Amino acid sequence: MASRLEFVQYAVSQMEEAGTITYKKMFGEYGVYCDGKIFGVICDDQLFIKVTEAGRNLKPDLPLGAPYTGAKPHFLIENIDDRAFMREFVAATCRELPIPKPKKGKKSNGV
């Protein structure tokens, strides 16, 4: 079952204070980004966030789950209604994630 756009938009609105939150349709589901860093996915109307030490320290009892077959375990965020938690958890997670590498094939103009 694919995620509903309404769910994606609601989830994104719950974490918008963590940074610039965007989403992108990927393989029938959605990748979720904060300030250009992918930190999670939404699959089957469930929010999965990458596992980080910061996340473990904030909420050690969060369940883990795989957003799709063959995926690494992610934190499964079952209660997206807690806006303060979402802001804090996403911000802490994204601070720990590396800045994305430039896309291959993009050339600088040499200026």
Side-chain angles (χ1 to χ4, degrees), residues 48-75:
F48 296 88
I49 294 180
K50 289 182 177 185
V51 174
T52 61
E53 285 303 311
R56 279 194 180 112
N57 291 336
L58 279 172
K59 194 80 168 152
D61 59 336
L62 274 178
L64 297 177
Y68 51 88
T69 304
K72 291 180 181 179
H74 285 59
F75 291 119

Side-chain angles (χ1 to χ4, degrees), residues 10 25 31 36 56 59-60 71 83 85 107 109:
Y10 176 69
K25 192 152 187 153
R56 279 194 180 112
K59 194 80 168 152
R83 193 176 184 99
F85 166 73
K107 297 180 181 179
N109 61 7

Side-chain angles (χ1 to χ4, degrees), residues 6-26:
E6 295 81 20
F7 178 86
V8 174
Q9 291 170 333
Y10 176 69
V12 167
S13 74
Q14 290 299 95
M15 49 186 133
E16 65 188 2
E17 294 172 4
T20 302
I21 307 296
T22 57
Y23 59 90
K24 180 178 175 183
K25 192 152 187 153
M26 306 170 80

Side-chain angles (χ1 to χ4, degrees), residues 36-99:
K37 297 177 182 179
I38 188 163
F39 69 90
V41 292
I42 296 175
C43 296
D44 295 327
D45 286 344
Q46 294 181 300
L47 175 62
F48 296 88
I49 294 180
K50 289 182 177 185
V51 174
T52 61
E53 285 303 311
R56 279 194 180 112
N57 291 336
L58 279 172
K59 194 80 168 152
D61 59 336
L62 274 178
L64 297 177
Y68 51 88
T69 304
K72 291 180 181 179
H74 285 59
F75 291 119
L76 173 59
I77 310 299
E78 296 176 306
N79 180 11
I80 65 169
D81 296 327
D82 185 342
R83 193 176 184 99
F85 166 73
M86 294 291 288
R87 177 188 64 240
E88 181 181 14
F89 194 82
V90 169
T93 296
C94 291
R95 279 192 299 270
E96 192 171 315
L97 295 174
I99 295 172

